Every structure is written in structure tokens, then in C-alpha cells.
Amino acid sequence: MPITLYQNDNDDVPHRGAIYSFRPIFWLEPPLWLLRNIQYAPLPGTASVQKPELLRDAFRTGYNDNQEDVIARAKVRYVIVLSSDLEARNRIMHDVLVAPTYTLDASTHRPEFLEQVRTNKYPWFFHLYPDPDFPAIGECYINFRQIQALHKGFLQEGKLQFTLTPDAIRAVLDRYKQYLSVDRREVSR
């Protein structure tokens, strides 16, 4: 059996390798709908729902700094903090770099895809195999194409009581460096 990727973690402060169950503000995918003509009273309130592609002024209304209220379908994902401990723990720095994880599921993924993720055939994925001692996270993968900065305020809750081991986080970061150095022409083939 391979060495575990995870270890217990009672540290409530964000740090490298910490894992959070996070509401996916930034990982929204189409379709999106815009809310217009919002009336907050009388309760429960009303709004019209519009497709952005049908509104010529979508995100260009001049109202509220060109911001729109959006409805989207989203899913809670685990995110892993990649920022250094110095950056993650620094109260002055408001953002941390995080990587979302995606569940590997034999009922929804093709067998070829499962095998290729498990054998690291995709340079933009990192496979996290299941660990019976830490069943909450299950079998999943990190998608390096979705790594981004996240405000620490979103990580106030959802902290899991385990973290990646130092060896596991080092392996993730080494693989990420390899991904960044891959010639993009090779990836698109």
C-alpha cells in the first residue's frame, strides 16, 4: 500500500496543505442567468431572470460598477491551500492560492479517463488516491488549470481535520511546476 497522502490536522489557521470544504464561488460553469429588476420587498421579493447573451447591456449597465447579480449551478468542492505558510498565516495578506479537487467516479467517468488520471497521463491533473484512514475526501484529483487566489474570508468555515502530508504537498507542487513548464502545443494534441 502506498504511503498516505494525509495526516491529522487540528490547526484552524490556513496553512499549506490544509483542506477545506468550500462553496465554489469561482468555479462556476455555464449556464449563468442574470437577475434584473430585483425587488427585495415585499417578502420574499421578486426579480426577472435573464440569459446574459440576450441582454445587450449585460455587465455594462453603468449601474453598481457594472456588476450583475447571477444565478448559477454550483457544487461544494474540497480545496487545498498551496500558498506558503508564511503567506497563508500572514494577517496582512488577504488571499491564498488554492487548488480545487474533483471526485473520480466510476459511475460518471469513462474507464479510460479513470485509468489515465490514476496513472498521471494528464499533466494538468494530480491524482489523490483514496485512503481508508481519511475516507471523507475519497478518490479525487487536483486540476492545475483551476488553481487561483481565494480570499481567506471564504475559508472561515469548512476546515477538515486532516491535511496533506509534507511529502504529498511537495509532490503536488513538483507536479504543478512540471505542468507549468509543459509546452502548450503538446497539451493541445
Side-chain angles (χ1 to χ4, degrees):
M1 180 164 163
I3 297 173
T4 185
L5 296 171
Y6 310 103
Q7 65 186 18
N8 290 321
D9 181 25
N10 295 320
D11 190 348
D12 289 333
V13 178
H15 60 88
R16 180 175 278 167
I19 304 171
Y20 291 82
S21 178
F22 176 70
R23 291 173 300 286
I25 305 301
F26 297 101
W27 294 283
L28 301 177
E29 294 182 9
L32 299 176
W33 295 272
L34 301 183
L35 290 175
R36 291 281 180 92
N37 307 315
I38 299 172
Q39 303 294 320
Y40 295 104
L43 293 177
T46 62
S48 62
V49 179
Q50 306 288 328
K51 290 184 175 183
E53 59 271 17
L54 300 179
L55 296 173
R56 296 171 65 87
D57 64 348
F59 298 97
R60 293 187 295 263
T61 60
Y63 173 74
N64 199 18
D65 195 29
N66 293 325
Q67 297 180 57
E68 297 274 4
D69 294 295
V70 176
I71 296 176
R73 177 166 286 165
K75 179 180 176 181
V76 171
R77 297 205 177 278
Y78 293 126
V79 295
I80 300 171
V81 176
L82 297 181
S83 292
S84 70
D85 286 348
L86 179 67
E87 185 176 316
R89 293 177 186 275
N90 188 324
R91 293 176 191 222
I92 295 171
M93 301 187 86
H94 300 288
D95 297 325
V96 288
L97 199 60
V98 297
T101 64
Y102 297 84
T103 304
L104 272 179
D105 184 357
S107 68
T108 59
H109 293 110
R110 296 181 332 273
E112 308 83 45
F113 176 78
L114 295 170
E115 182 60 29
Q116 289 175 336
V117 170
R118 289 174 178 149
T119 57
N120 292 314
K121 298 291 185 205
Y122 296 109
W124 51 88
F125 293 154
F126 184 90
H127 180 237
L128 297 169
Y129 51 83
D131 186 324
D133 293 333
F134 300 93
I137 197 162
E139 184 177 24
C140 58
Y141 60 95
I142 293 171
N143 185 343
F144 293 138
R145 296 174 298 185
Q146 299 297 324
I147 289 175
Q148 57 192 262
L150 180 70
H151 194 283
K152 290 180 200 175
F154 287 118
L155 300 179
Q156 296 301 317
E157 54 188 59
K159 171 76 173 65
L160 302 185
Q161 295 304 306
F162 58 93
T163 183
L164 289 180
T165 65
D167 287 342
I169 194 68
R170 195 169 16 264
V172 168
L173 293 174
D174 286 345
R175 179 103 171 143
Y176 184 47
K177 288 177 196 173
Q178 290 172 2
Y179 164 69
L180 292 175
S181 66
V182 169
D183 185 340
R184 297 296 177 240
R185 292 172 293 201
E186 292 176 24
V187 172
S188 64
R189 288 183 196 163

